[in-house]
């Protein structure tokens, strides 16, 4: 059975709330489509580096899992986001500031 999908705007609001409760600063830097937009999460470690997270299908489990797409200098991650945004006008981008790289994406309820 296919996994139920939550509207992107609702997921983003819940994720920002969860980050706020964990005292992890986060910002929406690109507002995508409220219902069906995909989401990228940039985690800036405040040392000039960042990681970029996206959800992809795991064909073995038929679930959408968060994977780290890239880890690089922050300017390279920003360029990658810009390329994706140019192709996808519905894209959401959330930026997190976390020195230890914590995104909470590995916690239950965020998959």
């Amino acid at each position: 059975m296919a996994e139920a999908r939550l509207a992107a705007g609702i997921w983003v609001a819940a994720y920002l709330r969860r980050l706020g409760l964990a005292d992890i600063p986060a910002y929406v830097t690109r507002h995508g489509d409220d219902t069906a937009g995909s989401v990228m999460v940039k985690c800036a470690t405040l040392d000039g580096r960042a990681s970029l997270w996206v959800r992809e299908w795991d064909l073995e489990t038929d679930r959408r899992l968060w994977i780290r797409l890239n880890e690089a200098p922050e300017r390279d991650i920003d360029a990658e986001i810009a390329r994706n945004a140019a192709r996808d006008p519905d894209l959401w981008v959330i930026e997190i500031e976390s020195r230890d790289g914590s995104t909470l994406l590995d916690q239950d309820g965020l998959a």
Side-chain angles (χ1 to χ4, degrees):
M1 175 186 249
E3 180 179 311
R5 294 204 42 168
L6 187 62
I10 294 171
W11 186 91
V12 167
Y15 182 52
L16 292 174
R17 177 73 175 138
R18 184 175 266 188
L19 290 166
L21 291 171
D23 292 324
I24 299 173
Y27 315 91
V28 174
T29 58
R30 180 175 170 81
H31 187 288
D33 183 77
D34 285 329
T35 56
S38 59
V39 179
M40 294 184 115
V41 176
K42 172 187 166 186
C43 181
T45 53
L46 306 176
D47 61 357
R49 296 194 58 79
S51 58
L52 185 60
W53 296 79
V54 297
R55 287 181 78 186
E56 289 192 358
W57 282 106
D58 179 354
L59 297 175
E60 290 182 20
T61 62
D62 196 31
R63 295 186 61 209
R64 294 176 67 217
L65 303 175
W66 284 98
I67 63 155
R68 184 171 50 208
L69 184 64
N70 196 359
E71 186 171 1
E74 190 168 2
R75 68 182 175 277
D76 295 347
I77 297 296
D78 289 339
E80 188 166 354
I81 290 169
R83 285 190 301 274
N84 279 279
R87 287 189 303 257
D88 183 0
D90 297 333
L91 178 68
W92 287 80
V93 178
I94 299 170
E95 183 167 341
I96 297 171
E97 294 176 351
S98 174
R99 290 190 191 283
D100 66 0
S102 177
T103 63
L104 306 183
L105 294 171
D106 57 347
Q107 292 188 350
D108 287 339
L110 289 174

